[in-house]
């Protein structure tokens, strides 16, 4: 009988251990594995990402606004373009941008390759043109040699765009504590953080912030229960959001829902950078998107949960 009880205890213990390692069946999912890519393309993309010669006056690189040593974005409400003037919208983090279904706040392009074209040729951002870029990169003997080794046709617009996108696809931030929780390590979160996730679901935040990127996979009107932009004042053309792309009145003030990954370290928030703190952003979301305000305790718990979404930078090929 003692042997029987001992065997049953071992079996139950094994089941418990196995259960703790089983992924949770939740609407949010952990980050996928980094895609396999040509390391030569990634390395060229890394160099180009930090290359100020992509801008017309050699002053601005992708990394100038997407600061990889910080949060993949810019701490300013509005980044400065090549001419030192503020651009129209807040710089979103480049971390996990490869998982977004579209790029830019207004979703005007679908791919990272298209995104680099828009930024490089934008009269407000890098202000350059592809003839100038290809000439500068092609005249650099190191770039010329390495592009020739990585691409049959060497330095071309398509190859520069592809290399940049290859590097950006490595900018995932896996292994957040919440990812580890979803993968079955249920002890990694505190009880209060788990309650925060529960409140996040119960209040309806998860209706828009969903999927592997906890956002970035749909459009939504900014201001469902009130006109945030009117209340903020001084409306701009950029505040019209997706309307500027489609001309459809239903798309006025509609934006791509941002990812909440690393949200605790990517202030300021929203397309206009108008929320300087995470607490302010949460208040605005409740008032204007959900139409109700949480208790102070529920808000505190949700903010605790949001801090668990900070991942580890992983940008190596």
């Amino acid at each position: 009988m003692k042997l029987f009880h001992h065997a049953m205890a071992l079996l139950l213990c094994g089941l418990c251990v196995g259960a703790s390692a089983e992924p949770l069946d939740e609407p949010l999912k952990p980050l996928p594995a980094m895609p396999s890519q040509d390391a030569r393309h990634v390395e060229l993309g890394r160099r180009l990402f930090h290359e100020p010669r992509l801008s017309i006056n050699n002053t601005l690189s992708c990394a100038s606004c997407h600061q990889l040593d910080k949060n993949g974005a810019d701490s300013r409400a509005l980044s400065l373009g090549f001419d030192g003037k503020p651009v129209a919208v807040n710089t979103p983090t480049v971390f996990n941008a490869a998982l977004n279904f579209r790029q830019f706040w207004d979703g005007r392009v679908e791919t990272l390759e298209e995104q680099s074209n828009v930024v490089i040729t934008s009269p407000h951002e890098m202000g350059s043109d592809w003839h100038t870029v290809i000439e500068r990169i092609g005249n650099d003997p190191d770039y010329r040699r390495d592009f020739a080794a990585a691409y049959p046709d060497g330095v071309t617009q398509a190859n520069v765009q592809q290399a940049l996108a290859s590097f950006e696809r490595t900018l995932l931030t896996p292994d957040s504590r919440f990812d580890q929780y979803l993968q079955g390590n249920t002890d990694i979160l505190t009880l209060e953080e788990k309650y925060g996730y529960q409140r996040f679901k119960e209040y309806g935040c998860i209706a828009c912030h969903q999927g592997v990127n906890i956002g970035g996979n749909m459009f939504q009107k900014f201001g469902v229960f009130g006109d945030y932009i009117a209340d903020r004042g001084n409306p701009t053309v950029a505040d019209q959001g997706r309307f500027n792309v489609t001309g459809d009145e239903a798309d006025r003030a509609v934006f791509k829902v941002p990812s909440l990954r690393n949200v605790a370290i990517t202030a300021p928030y929203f397309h206009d950078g108008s929320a300087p703190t995470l607490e302010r952003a949460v208040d605005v979301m409740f008032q204007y998107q959900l139409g109700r305000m949480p208790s102070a305790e529920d808000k505190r718990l949700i903010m605790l949960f949001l801090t668990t979404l900070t991942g580890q930078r992983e940008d190596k090929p």
Side-chain angles (χ1 to χ4, degrees):
M1 183 62 70
K2 287 182 179 179
L3 286 174
F4 173 77
H5 285 303
H6 181 65
M8 288 300 295
L10 287 174
L11 176 62
L12 289 173
C13 182
L15 288 174
C16 291
V17 172
S20 68
E22 284 294 315
L24 304 186
D25 184 17
E26 289 290 330
L28 300 181
K29 304 299 179 186
L31 278 182
M34 188 181 298
S36 177
Q37 299 190 93
D38 188 318
R40 297 171 301 177
H41 297 175
V42 173
E43 173 57 20
L44 277 168
R46 184 194 66 78
R47 286 158 57 189
L48 289 167
F49 193 86
H50 294 84
E51 180 55 75
R53 285 176 288 183
L54 296 185
S55 65
I56 191 63
N57 59 355
N58 303 307
T59 62
L60 202 66
S61 72
C62 304
S64 299
C65 299
H66 296 287
Q67 298 164 12
L68 302 186
D69 59 338
K70 295 180 180 177
N71 53 20
D74 190 347
S75 58
R76 298 174 181 268
L78 301 175
S79 299
L80 303 182
F82 75 95
D83 56 2
K85 297 177 181 177
V87 298
V89 293
N90 177 256
T91 300
T93 180
V94 72
F95 291 148
N96 308 305
L99 302 176
N100 291 333
F101 84 129
R102 287 176 177 270
Q103 304 301 325
F104 298 113
W105 284 99
D106 58 13
R108 77 190 86 156
V109 303
E110 295 186 11
T111 68
L112 291 170
E113 286 85 352
E114 294 174 288
Q115 186 267 351
S116 64
N117 172 56
V118 172
V119 172
I120 287 171
T121 62
S122 166
H124 307 293
E125 295 180 57
M126 289 190 168
S128 195
D129 60 84
W130 281 106
H131 175 78
T132 301
V133 168
I134 299 307
E135 184 176 54
R136 289 175 178 173
I137 300 303
N139 285 340
D140 182 301
D142 292 333
Y143 273 126
R144 189 166 63 248
R145 178 197 65 226
D146 294 342
F147 264 92
Y151 297 94
D153 48 350
V155 180
T156 67
Q157 174 183 338
N159 293 344
V160 169
Q161 290 176 261
Q162 197 277 333
L164 280 166
S166 293
F167 172 65
E168 289 166 7
R169 291 188 178 102
T170 71
L171 298 177
L172 303 183
T173 57
D175 295 327
S176 70
R177 288 195 299 121
F178 186 64
D179 277 330
Q180 296 176 56
Y181 171 77
L182 292 175
Q183 290 162 344
N185 183 0
T186 54
D187 293 334
I188 195 73
L189 299 190
T190 68
L191 186 59
E192 287 192 324
E193 289 165 345
K194 292 174 184 176
Y195 282 148
Y197 176 44
Q198 184 180 46
R199 302 296 192 277
F200 182 85
K201 292 188 286 187
E202 290 172 348
Y203 276 102
C205 312
I206 202 166
C208 296
H209 294 287
Q210 54 181 251
V212 296
N213 216 14
I214 317 179
N217 65 350
M218 66 164 62
F219 294 115
Q220 182 58 264
K221 184 176 179 64
F222 188 16
V224 176
F225 293 94
D227 191 334
Y228 175 77
I229 292 168
D231 291 349
R232 185 208 65 199
N234 302 308
T236 67
V237 172
D239 289 328
Q240 297 181 127
R242 188 140 177 83
F243 173 81
N244 293 328
V245 178
T246 68
D248 186 338
E249 190 59 38
D251 285 335
R252 195 177 293 276
V254 167
F255 297 89
K256 181 186 68 183
V257 175
S259 166
L260 291 186
R261 288 191 174 275
N262 306 304
V263 69
I265 60 171
T266 54
Y269 304 96
F270 308 144
H271 74 282
D272 55 0
S274 60
T277 65
L278 183 58
E279 182 175 12
R280 173 58 180 161
V282 169
D283 286 342
V284 169
M285 287 293 98
F286 269 101
Q287 179 179 349
Y288 289 91
Q289 299 305 112
L290 298 174
R292 56 177 175 159
M293 297 305 292
S295 66
E297 176 65 2
D298 282 353
K299 185 176 81 169
R300 185 182 73 84
L301 292 171
I302 287 173
M303 290 182 63
L304 283 176
F305 159 66
L306 293 176
T307 66
T308 74
L309 303 179
T310 303
Q312 305 299 314
R313 178 183 163 198
E314 186 173 299
D315 63 344
K316 304 302 181 186

